[in-house]
Amino acid sequence: MTTLTINGITQQLEVDPSTPLLWVLRETLDLTGTKFGCGMAQCGACTVHVAGNPVRSCVTPIAAVAGLEITTIEGLAPGPDQLHPLQQAWIDLQVPQCGYCQSGQLMSAAALLASNSTPSDEDIDKAMAGNICRCGMYGRIKNAIKTVAGVQHFDPAPLALNKELTNG
Amino acid sequence: MGKWSRRAFIGAGVVAGGGLLIGVAIRPGNRSEELSKHVINDGETFLHTWVKLDSDNLVTAIVPHSEMGQGAGTALAQMLADELDADWNLVRFEEAPAVSGFANYSMGQAILMPDAEVPSFVMPSVDGALIKTAQMLDLQITGGSLSIRSTGTYGMRVAGAAVKQMLREAAAQTWNVPLDEIVARNSVMAHEASGRSAPYSAFAELAAQMVPPSSPKLKSVDQYNIMGRHVDRHDLPAKVDGSAVFAADVRLPNMLYATIKRSPTFTGSIEKLDETGARSIKGVVDVIRLASEEVSSMFGNFTFSESVAVVAEGYWPAKQGLDALKIQWSTTDNNAVSSATIFEQFARDIGASVDRGSDVQQGNVPQALANAATVIEADYQVPFLAHTCMEPLNATAVVKNGRCELWVGCQNPLGFRKSVADALGFDVDNVILHNCLMGGGFGRKSRPDYAIQAAQIAAQVGRPVQLLWTREEDVQQDFYRPAIMSRFRAGLDAEGNIIAWENTYVDKHDPFEASLIPYAIAAQDIGHVSSPTHIPFGAWRSVAHSHQGFFTESFIDEAAAAAGQDPYQYRAALLQHRPRELAVLKAAAEKAQWHKPLPAGRGRGISLHSSFGSVVAEVVEVTVLDGELSVDRVVAVIDAGFAVSPDGVAAQLESGVIYGLTAALYGEISISNGAVEQSNFHDYPSLRMPESPNIETHIINSGATIGGAGEPGTPPIAAALTNAIFNATGKRIRKLPVGTNLS
Ligand code: FES
Ligand code: FES
């Protein structure tokens, strides 16, 4: 029996304690927002927060995180029908392409901003280096982080040309 | 010709008449059951195979392409909505179901008669034979950058215009006023003189009974309202909160998980298999051997070698089980093959030039070379490349009572359905395919091997099964961008003008024109020899353009260097007869401040390549410091004719640049003992944020026929990079990948 606290909910799980957290999230708990990309801490698609720190859940046995506060992409927003500022920026700057890496990107970025609210370019590069985006949206990801951090003002002009057309 | 009489339409049947290219009205009562099941809800009037308008005045575009991430759905909906003069907030879209009626006929048309400039309004008269051909090929493909240029131009716009015209006629009839007094705007019909107005939906039923116009009038560029402007992509909110359901996120009751391993040498079979270790792992349910499989598809025939799958209560025990299997694969002749033997074979076959096929033969190359003041020659080569889509290959299947239901992210739903049906020995009607969101496609997800495996495993275990490949399997069992070698010779006269261009490469791959050059060189001889290997190959973002762009744009740079001339000016001088290419090249040079001097250790390179109807030029700036390379800046200019969704085009360009840069810097699948040596992102690396350059994109709307956006950004980047390295260091790189250490 392993006790896990995920997105504020504590539960007891009858799962082999050596199982990586990723599979417990995705298969046991149906929290499929956290993705599998490599299984060896190379791509960052599986990033979640454990006690506020970004952790690669594909190489983290649940035994190692028992009793700790775990947050997944499903729990990133402050409340239902709300978005974390980074999620909003991701939409404003039209960051995702296929979107598969973006849960991991957002979790790494959120952990960065939580510990460093005004990161430099180098800080951002360093914090995000573990997250691969095969669609190559690095420029947009970086700009979105800077926008939220207030180190760069998001100029909506080029995009907002026709904001009234926004399709909800 | 060009008119659908009610009878002819019904007579052709929905499948043919639903020729989804054009807005063919399907009238209530005459729909195929298969279609109506997917597109009709209560209270909706079905006007069109491409468009439905429901009683809430909501317009739904039915998009026949798979969403790999390009945002094609949004751009297609823009095209439809603009012609329809719909309120953008009342426009939604759905992906077309994988039924034969949705065969992507416009893509078939583009493949079968690529040069036919058929005006959109006469498309219905392009006879039913093409519809049939497209269906027989089981086309429903996303690829070839075709979504916008074929489906959008020939399908969506015509459909939108036709529907609007019918609705206007219905309004005029209802109000009994002249047609030309009816104004359609923002999903509302209005008659100013009488002050009447009503939503489009008020006229849907009447319009549905009308004969659709054979040549609806399309808007001219100055009338565009929604095309060419930014609209937010519809699919992003679900991609930032984890709620988007990708294929691997499908969950079915009572589902098992499986993972698999196929023969590493692509051809061997299993000689000995010890399952004991796997079966002793808690949670493992079964170990299943899948026999080698012949698959025939529109891409040709493939043989997949034997494989073993471990089925378990979860992916993790399945993976542990797979690792615990002791498999002895048989040895074949291919075990002696390595990257070195492959490139030796290529060099030998190019040298022998047996059965050389010709791409271009003009002027007298031998004579021009004999007269040349300077002759330069060089061999170029590129390795095999894997796709490594962010989402590893997976498919979920249930096989029960002679029927198969399948959830998969793929670039060719109809083709997959057919292949799975063939493999199971089922009729295609007994295979239902749900196409899911794809975490990348890049060409890999046009090959159905993983879907077939999932269906075969599910058939054996009798429960729903999700087959999820390990990343290792994904890297080692790809359909690779082929390794290629290309040999060049060029002759320059005393002034440095290029007078002869000779090029022979292995092997020829689609599309035909990839090896051609836009430059005015009188004598050209471009050809290819065949030199097959056992390594499976397939479409990889931009297909043959990915390597040909590197070869030709590097060698023209060598010619400029041999002539002692500026590589941008040298190209420009050879493009006077090609105004479109020249304009793009010039724009790239200007935006990149080509003539502004750079400090020592830095360099700039330029490259130009056209593909899929779009012209792209790129300028790369690099720094090489103590042999360490960094890529600082990329300026990319595209002329895709007209950018329907400008931010979408920009994003695709950024994406294509990073994808190509990853390949140019790091991408190498090497072969040893007949098998792939790499296995995951640690030894097949991907560009990461710290190494990514600033990318500036610029769009030219020349008004040419709309071209692709998803692929054309990739071909020029490798040569722009290596040309920049040459500029910085004097070192010419003729073999990819570059690596980051140049010393
Ligand atoms: S799946 Fe965990 S880092 Fe790639
Ligand atoms: S958005 Fe596709 S991998 Fe990042």
Side-chain angles (χ1 to χ4, degrees):
Chain A
M1 206 65 109
T2 310
T3 306
L4 291 183
T5 305
I6 298 166
N7 301 331
I9 299 168
T10 300
Q11 46 202 317
Q12 307 265 318
L13 292 174
E14 195 100 43
V15 180
D16 177 353
S18 70
T19 307
L21 175 61
L22 173 63
W23 305 109
V24 174
L25 293 173
R26 291 185 50 79
E27 295 174 1
T28 314
L29 302 172
D30 275 3
L31 291 169
T32 54
T34 305
K35 304 300 188 204
F36 165 58
C38 67
M40 58 182 298
Q42 285 289 318
C43 77
C46 64
T47 307
V48 299
H49 296 172
V50 176
N53 298 312
V55 161
R56 312 293 181 222
S57 64
C58 67
V59 291
T60 306
I62 52 169
V65 294
L68 299 173
E69 200 72 52
I70 298 164
T71 307
T72 70
I73 185 72
E74 290 89 349
L76 181 64
D81 295 325
Q82 283 179 291
L83 291 178
H84 184 283
L86 282 166
Q87 292 173 313
Q88 186 59 54
W90 249 237
I91 293 174
D92 290 343
L93 275 76
Q94 300 277 289
V95 171
Q97 278 282 302
C98 79
Y100 192 81
C101 73
Q102 298 298 347
S103 300
Q105 306 278 3
L106 280 158
M107 296 311 281
S108 290
L112 165 69
L113 291 188
S115 67
N116 177 358
S117 59
T118 52
S120 64
D121 270 40
E122 290 66 40
D123 294 334
I124 297 175
D125 278 351
K126 203 162 153 242
M128 302 303 292
N131 289 80
I132 292 174
C133 176
R134 283 296 281 148
C135 299
M137 292 295 103
Y138 299 118
R140 288 174 186 239
I141 292 169
K142 199 176 206 173
N143 285 339
I145 295 172
K146 288 187 186 178
T147 304
V148 174
V151 291
Q152 175 178 299
H153 180 63
F154 168 54
D155 174 11
L159 289 184
L161 190 64
N162 216 7
K163 223 35 180 179
E164 78 274 15
L165 285 175
T166 297
N167 184 341
Chain B
M1 297 271 281
K3 256 205 188 282
W4 297 286
S5 68
R6 194 182 166 88
R7 170 164 280 276
F9 172 74
I10 298 164
V14 168
V15 170
L20 298 153
L21 180 59
I22 306 292
V24 180
I26 299 178
R27 298 169 189 84
N30 292 315
R31 296 181 291 269
S32 93
E33 263 198 46
E34 205 53 74
L35 285 180
S36 57
K37 206 167 54 205
H38 286 99
V39 292
I40 301 296
N41 293 313
D42 279 355
E44 292 171 347
T45 303
F46 194 38
L47 269 187
H48 216 278
T49 50
W50 294 97
V51 186
K52 64 174 174 168
L53 175 61
D54 70 20
S55 48
D56 301 331
N57 213 21
L58 197 68
V59 176
T60 305
I62 297 149
V63 181
H65 293 275
S66 318
E67 190 60 83
M68 294 189 279
Q70 346 77 315
T74 304
L76 289 172
Q78 275 178 273
M79 298 174 96
L80 169 83
D82 203 340
E83 290 293 351
L84 183 55
D85 277 314
D87 177 346
W88 177 247
N89 290 306
L90 295 176
V91 177
R92 298 284 179 273
F93 87 82
E94 281 175 14
E95 192 174 304
V99 295
S100 308
F102 277 94
N104 186 345
Y105 153 21
S106 48
M107 177 150 176
Q109 198 269 339
I111 287 176
L112 298 167
M113 358 191 284
D115 296 316
E117 285 280 336
V118 187
S120 47
F121 57 86
V122 300
M123 286 303 287
S125 63
V126 176
D127 63 32
L130 266 174
I131 304 178
K132 272 272 165 284
T133 314
Q135 282 164 353
M136 275 159 22
L137 293 173
D138 293 307
L139 285 171
Q140 193 185 30
I141 302 165
T142 300
S145 296
L146 274 168
S147 320
I148 311 297
R149 60 197 185 112
S150 61
T151 305
T153 309
Y154 299 137
M156 287 296 166
R157 291 190 57 195
V158 174
V163 173
K164 183 175 76 181
Q165 192 168 324
M166 289 153 74
L167 289 168
R168 286 183 66 226
E169 276 166 25
Q173 210 175 309
T174 306
W175 291 333
N176 199 15
V177 297
L179 178 62
D180 57 12
E181 290 177 10
I182 300 282
V183 176
R185 194 182 297 131
N186 275 329
S187 294
V188 173
M189 288 294 169
H191 183 246
E192 227 174 78
S194 63
R196 272 178 293 199
S197 70
Y200 282 4
S201 52
F203 309 101
E205 237 182 283
L206 183 56
Q209 288 156 34
M210 291 178 173
V211 176
S214 57
S215 51
K217 199 166 149 38
L218 301 185
K219 290 183 173 182
S220 55
V221 178
D222 56 309
Q223 294 171 317
Y224 291 177
N225 256 330
I226 301 175
M227 286 188 271
R229 300 172 80 171
H230 175 75
V231 297
D232 277 356
R233 277 175 57 176
H234 69 282
D235 56 332
L236 298 198
K239 289 179 175 176
V240 302
D241 66 5
S243 64
V245 177
F246 292 84
D249 301 333
V250 168
R251 295 288 174 265
L252 301 174
N254 203 26
M255 185 169 96
L256 292 169
Y257 296 82
T259 192
I260 197 160
K261 186 158 187 56
R262 197 156 56 199
S263 167
T265 56
F266 306 103
T267 44
S269 56
I270 297 169
E271 258 176 9
K272 236 196 264 164
L273 175 66
D274 180 356
E275 307 175 358
T276 344
R279 289 198 183 268
S280 70
I281 285 167
K282 192 164 167 262
V284 168
V285 173
D286 209 348
V287 176
I288 288 176
R289 283 170 71 153
L290 297 181
S292 74
E293 183 78 29
E294 286 268 1
V295 175
S296 62
S297 81
M298 62 165 293
F299 297 108
N301 299 338
F302 314 106
T303 308
F304 303 123
S305 60
E306 227 181 330
S307 55
V308 202
V310 177
V311 186
E313 298 292 344
Y315 172 83
W316 185 242
K319 165 77 164 68
Q320 286 177 299
L322 196 74
D323 292 343
L325 287 175
K326 292 201 186 103
I327 316 170
Q328 194 180 314
W329 301 98
S330 68
T331 306
T332 72
D333 290 351
N334 294 329
N335 285 62
V337 175
S338 69
S339 289
T341 66
I342 287 172
F343 282 107
E344 278 161 25
Q345 171 194 318
F346 287 171
R348 200 171 52 234
D349 289 344
I350 289 179
S353 260
V354 177
D355 291 331
R356 183 175 181 272
S358 176
D359 297 351
V360 172
Q361 183 72 259
Q362 69 180 45
N364 189 334
V365 170
Q367 196 180 5
L369 285 171
N371 294 341
T374 314
V375 173
I376 56 169
E377 46 193 350
D379 279 1
Y380 282 82
Q381 71 178 58
V382 294
F384 294 102
L385 292 174
H387 297 80
T388 52
C389 303
M390 204 70 227
E391 179 185 21
L393 294 177
N394 67 86
T396 304
V398 186
V399 179
K400 224 167 65 188
N401 306 330
R403 282 174 78 85
C404 171
E405 200 165 351
L406 200 65
W407 288 260
V408 64
C410 74
Q411 292 172 250
N412 181 9
L414 284 171
F416 271 51
R417 191 177 69 137
K418 170 92 168 34
S419 299
V420 168
D422 287 352
L424 295 175
F426 288 5
D427 192 281
V428 280
D429 290 337
N430 288 325
V431 177
I432 299 167
L433 185 144
H434 306 274
N435 204 22
C436 306
L437 270 186
M438 264 178 273
F442 310 127
R444 175 61 177 94
K445 291 173 184 170
S446 58
R447 299 295 162 96
D449 51 335
Y450 57 107
I452 295 171
Q453 290 172 340
Q456 288 174 328
I457 296 167
Q460 290 201 37
V461 298
R463 276 169 68 178
V465 175
Q466 178 166 92
L467 170 68
L468 176 59
W469 283 25
T470 62
R471 175 60 72 191
E472 288 74 14
E473 187 75 353
D474 183 89
V475 170
Q476 300 188 334
Q477 294 292 333
D478 205 338
F479 289 83
Y480 302 91
R481 198 289 302 277
I484 303 280
M485 180 179 270
S486 190
R487 178 165 295 170
F488 290 91
R489 255 202 311 177
L492 276 58
D493 69 14
E495 280 78 52
N497 300 310
I498 185 161
I499 53 171
W501 178 275
E502 185 189 74
N503 176 206
T504 305
Y505 59 90
V506 294
D507 264 299
K508 181 86 190 156
H509 292 282
D510 285 339
F512 174 84
E513 68 276 10
S515 61
L516 309 191
I517 47 170
Y519 304 111
I521 301 171
Q524 295 186 26
D525 178 6
I526 304 172
H528 52 89
V529 295
S530 162
S531 189
T533 74
H534 77 284
I535 309 299
F537 62 85
W540 187 95
R541 197 172 193 168
S542 84
V543 218
H545 290 289
S546 72
H547 46 266
Q548 297 293 358
F550 168 62
F551 298 150
T552 57
E553 280 302 292
S554 294
F555 196 60
I556 195 74
D557 221 69
E558 293 209 44
Q565 293 183 28
D566 175 89
Y568 156 59
Q569 306 283 14
Y570 196 74
R571 285 176 174 82
L574 294 168
L575 288 170
Q576 297 306 312
H577 64 304
R578 301 283 281 258
R580 198 174 164 209
E581 280 85 352
L582 186 61
V584 173
L585 186 78
K586 267 193 171 153
E590 268 161 33
K591 300 289 183 193
Q593 298 144 296
W594 180 260
H595 293 292
K596 199 173 154 197
L598 287 170
R602 297 190 61 190
R604 226 181 246 131
I606 194 164
S607 165
L608 167 81
H609 191 85
S610 301
S611 58
F612 308 103
S614 294
V615 182
V616 178
E618 287 165 358
V619 174
V620 170
E621 275 179 34
V622 298
T623 303
V624 184
L625 217 62
D626 302 327
E628 277 298 309
L629 166 72
S630 68
V631 185
D632 308 320
R633 180 185 182 209
V634 175
V635 174
V637 178
I638 186 169
D639 171 5
F642 181 81
V644 174
S645 191
D647 185 57
V649 170
Q652 284 292 301
L653 212 48
E654 294 162 30
S655 176
V657 162
I658 297 288
Y659 202 75
L661 212 47
T662 291
L665 287 171
Y666 308 123
E668 180 169 27
I669 289 294
S670 57
I671 307 300
S672 171
N673 300 321
V676 168
E677 292 189 292
Q678 291 70 23
S679 63
N680 205 319
F681 288 119
H682 66 292
D683 55 8
Y684 188 71
S686 210
L687 208 71
R688 294 168 185 272
M689 188 183 285
E691 304 132 16
S692 294
N694 274 326
I695 304 173
E696 298 153 41
T697 57
H698 302 278
I699 295 170
I700 294 176
N701 285 331
S702 67
T705 308
I706 292 187
E711 301 176 88
T714 302
I717 193 66
L721 170 71
T722 52
N723 294 341
I725 295 170
F726 175 76
N727 183 241
T729 66
K731 187 174 167 163
R732 182 63 70 183
I733 291 171
R734 301 192 179 91
K735 198 171 142 186
L736 296 183
V738 176
T740 47
N741 190 337
L742 300 174
S743 47

